[in-house]
Amino acid sequence: MTERLVHRNHPGIPMKVLNNAVTCCLLACLGVAHSANADVLLLIDVTDPSAVTIQSTDGLVLNTGGNGSPVDLADFFTADTGFNEAPMSGDLSRFSNGELFTVYRNTSTTLQLFSGAGFNLGEFTAGQLAFNGTGTLDLSALPLPGPGATGDINGFRELLGTWQVVPVPEPSSLALLGLGGLLIARRRRHSN
């Protein structure tokens, strides 16, 4: 029979369960701290991979940047994609000058958005709206992120904000998942 380590203040809860709970809480806090510094600028719906939609929000740019470069959605793809370039439809544009995004590229795990005017989007200004409108693109052959996934939006090595895949699990759903995990841990404890 193996000896179980338990926390002295909570003798009924194995130490491993407490350590896992603390680790999950710390990771969640780090995620909240990161997203608290940068607004969500783009909401992305991957429900139909052949018509992925990218919707602007009223989020504000974190840092001035992006002059002469594409907008990079970092770590968007779940695996290395190689390289591909294709047209993008819709009216998604840079808010300050209305320049439309007309082309996307995927390189490695990054999704890049370009405008049609020489691929030069100009500069984003901190504290101003970033984007306007909605764009649609066909990403059916590529490894897409799941609901709730997030990542950075960069312009010429400056963090502009974040992107987020919708639908995002509601806080009540996350609480139910956490409660389910605790119940499973409790069941395992009682069965041992």
Side-chain angles (χ1 to χ4, degrees), residues 59-66 94 96 122-130 160:
L60 303 178
V61 175
L62 181 63
N63 297 301
T64 297
R94 205 174 138 257
S96 63
E123 190 167 83
F124 290 88
T125 304
Q128 293 185 353
L129 286 172
L160 302 177

Side-chain angles (χ1 to χ4, degrees), residues 31 34-44 62 71-78 109-111 131 145-155 158-166 168:
H34 176 265
S35 63
N37 294 331
D39 285 353
V40 175
L41 305 179
L42 297 172
L43 293 175
I44 303 168
L62 181 63
V71 171
D72 293 337
L73 280 64
D75 300 319
F76 181 78
F77 298 106
T78 58
T109 59
T110 300
L111 175 62
F131 303 104
T150 63
D152 292 340
I153 298 175
N154 300 306
E158 290 293 335
L159 176 63
L160 302 177
T162 61
W163 56 267
Q164 185 172 59
V165 176
V166 293
V168 178

Side-chain angles (χ1 to χ4, degrees), residues 84-87 102-106 111-113 137-139 142:
N84 190 21
E85 182 174 296
T102 59
V103 176
Y104 83 85
R105 285 183 183 164
N106 54 288
L111 175 62
Q112 297 180 313
L113 305 178
L137 37 109
D138 182 354
L139 300 177
L142 300 169

Side-chain angles (χ1 to χ4, degrees), residues 11 16 23 25 31 36-37 39 47 58 98-99 102 108 127 131 134-135:
K16 185 176 181 179
T23 301
C25 288
N37 294 331
D39 285 353
T47 306
D58 58 359
E99 197 164 356
T102 59
S108 184
F131 303 104
T134 303

